[in-house]
């Protein structure tokens, strides 16, 4: 795996899977499998494909996970819709927000039919320069899986199951850029995407969840209503809308792990993650009070 700071997968997958399994089992003991349905949880994926890729959840697993949601009576929606529901006073069935990072074509090919079948919706965060072909993901040095092109994105966005939102232009680690570059990545991606989709773009995803006070401010100034980190946890009515929490579903997750992530068993970061990310990404501890900004990799 390429070691470009701020992007791509990181923790060795077998280690991460082992720790995840232990936490899931502990959650199962504590909760007896009861799902905590307070607030809003956001689950995110990258690819849905049978490729051997640490960012690819197999189509079979993805289908099983979506069937778990449906069987439990969950409504799965995109991010903006989920936050609207969180803010509304109306009683609603349990809701989960789903999103896919980076706009890989296999999401349209493999995940979309399953979502459609179950009446689910999801948000897809796309880096506009990668869609354009002028940038690429640094962690795929010579075998980058195809991303959706503009024609597909516009068509799918209008169809309504998938809703496309911004994820910078070139997918950098924003923390490594100077002020102008960071602002440009955040603002220009909104402008580019709005021109293509012919509608307001409301949500932003910090690449790899890496951001600081500066990016938070640029995102607000650009006019985004929502932004997602990779900080795990549940979102309540008082959660900062520009630092929404979410949990990644990993290829090695078993049903118990999915269940535990859905139900609140993985609402805190993995042990040592802050240390690991400081070493790997040179992240600085947050300057924003009471709001953890260190987030998990691979988004
Ligand atoms: Zn990403």
């Amino acid at each position: 795996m390429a070691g470009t700071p701020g992007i791509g997968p990181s923790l060795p997958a077998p280690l991460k899977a082992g720790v995840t399994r232990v936490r899931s089992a502990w959650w199962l003991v504590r909760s007896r499998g009861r799902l905590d349905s307070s607030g809003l949880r956001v689950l995110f994926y990258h690819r849905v494909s049978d490729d051997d890729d640490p960012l690819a959840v197999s189509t079979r697993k993805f289908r099983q996970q979506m069937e778990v949601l449906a069987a439990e009576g969950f409504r799965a929606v995109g991010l903006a819709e989920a936050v609207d529901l969180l803010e509304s006073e109306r009683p609603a069935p349990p809701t989960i927000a789903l999103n896919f990072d980076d706009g890989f074509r296999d999401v349209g090919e493999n995940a979309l039919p399953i979502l459609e079948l179950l009446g689910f919706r999801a948000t897809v965060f796309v880096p506009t320069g990668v869609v354009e072909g002028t940038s690429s993901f640094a962690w795929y040095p010579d075998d980058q899986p195809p991303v959706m092109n503009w024609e597909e994105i516009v068509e799918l966005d209008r169809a309504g199951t998938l809703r496309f939102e911004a994820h910078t232009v070139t997918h950098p680690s924003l923390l490594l850029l100077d002020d102008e570059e960071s602002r440009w990545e955040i603002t220009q991606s909104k402008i580019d995407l709005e021109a293509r989709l012919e509608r307001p773009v409301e949500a932003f995803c910090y690449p790899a969840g890496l951001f600081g006070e500066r990016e938070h401010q640029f995102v607000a100034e650009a006019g985004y209503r929502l932004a997602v980190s990779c900080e795990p946890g549940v979102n309540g009515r008082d959660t900062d809308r520009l630092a929404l929490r979410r949990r990644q579903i990993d290829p090695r997750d078993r049903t118990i792990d999915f269940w535990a992530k859905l139900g609140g068993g993985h609402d805190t970061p993995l042990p040592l993650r802050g240390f690991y990310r400081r070493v790997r990404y040179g992240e600085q501890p947050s300057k924003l009070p009471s709001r953890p900004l260190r987030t998990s990799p691979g988004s």
Side-chain angles (χ1 to χ4, degrees):
M1 222 23 77
T4 304
I7 45 183
S10 61
L11 260 193
L15 174 63
K16 191 176 180 187
V19 176
T20 299
R21 195 75 26 81
V22 168
R23 298 183 90 199
S24 300
W26 173 231
W27 170 81
L28 193 62
V29 170
R30 280 185 348 252
S31 69
R32 298 198 181 94
R34 258 199 312 274
L35 302 175
D36 167 30
S37 57
S38 67
L40 171 69
R41 285 189 175 78
V42 183
L43 302 179
F44 75 102
Y45 299 81
H46 291 81
R47 305 183 57 203
V48 175
S49 156
D50 296 338
D51 285 1
D52 180 20
D53 177 340
L55 292 179
V57 171
S58 74
T59 306
R60 183 183 60 84
K61 270 198 180 180
F62 181 76
R63 183 185 302 110
Q64 285 171 349
Q65 291 165 357
M66 294 303 104
E67 284 169 353
V68 165
L69 289 179
E72 288 303 309
F74 274 86
R75 165 165 58 179
V77 297
L79 197 67
E81 190 176 351
V83 170
D84 288 344
L85 287 167
L86 183 67
E87 289 170 352
S88 87
E89 298 293 332
R90 284 170 289 129
T95 300
I96 198 94
L98 293 178
N99 90 246
F100 300 89
D101 285 9
D102 300 340
F104 292 105
R105 179 169 289 153
D106 50 57
V107 169
E109 290 168 344
N110 301 329
L112 179 61
I114 296 166
L115 296 172
E116 282 177 335
L117 197 66
L118 296 170
F120 290 170
R121 291 182 286 283
T123 297
V124 185
F125 290 108
V126 287
T128 53
V130 179
V131 176
E132 206 70 59
T134 52
S135 298
S136 56
F137 298 120
W139 66 92
Y140 293 116
D142 38 41
D143 58 346
Q144 180 176 300
V147 296
M148 292 181 244
N149 62 36
W150 282 123
E151 206 177 7
E152 292 162 333
I153 288 171
V154 169
E155 189 182 324
L156 289 175
D157 192 78
R158 292 201 177 132
T161 296
L162 300 178
R163 193 172 171 90
F164 292 79
E165 303 282 356
H167 192 29
T168 72
V169 178
T170 70
H171 204 282
S173 167
L174 293 170
L175 298 178
L176 301 178
L177 305 182
D178 67 30
D179 290 356
E180 269 321 295
E181 290 168 334
S182 177
R183 183 188 284 115
W184 181 80
E185 290 281 352
I186 291 166
T187 306
Q188 192 62 42
S189 53
K190 187 172 193 289
I191 294 169
D192 291 348
L193 203 51
E194 286 180 344
R196 295 284 182 170
L197 301 179
E198 300 178 326
R199 64 160 177 85
V201 164
E202 328 177 67
F204 180 79
C205 174
Y206 305 98
L210 295 169
F211 70 108
E213 197 172 4
R214 178 184 73 169
E215 283 71 30
H216 186 277
Q217 186 188 328
F218 292 160
V219 165
E221 286 170 4
Y224 290 103
R225 183 164 75 95
L226 311 167
V228 288
S229 69
C230 299
E231 188 65 22
V234 64
N235 300 289
R237 285 175 183 232
D238 56 348
T239 305
D240 182 352
R241 295 294 185 260
L242 301 183
L244 291 167
R245 296 158 179 275
R246 57 186 190 148
R247 175 51 92 178
Q248 179 169 312
I249 303 300
D250 296 310
R252 289 170 186 253
D253 284 352
R254 294 184 187 167
T255 302
I256 181 183
D257 302 314
F258 183 77
W259 191 259
K261 287 181 176 184
L262 180 64
H266 293 265
D267 282 354
T268 54
L270 284 173
L272 292 181
R273 193 188 59 160
F275 169 75
Y276 181 84
R277 286 174 71 83
R278 272 195 297 284
V279 171
R280 184 166 192 267
Y281 301 130
E283 271 184 73
Q284 298 303 312
S286 161
K287 287 182 205 146
L288 277 180
S290 74
R291 187 165 299 131
L293 298 187
R294 292 183 301 277
T295 60
S296 69
S299 63

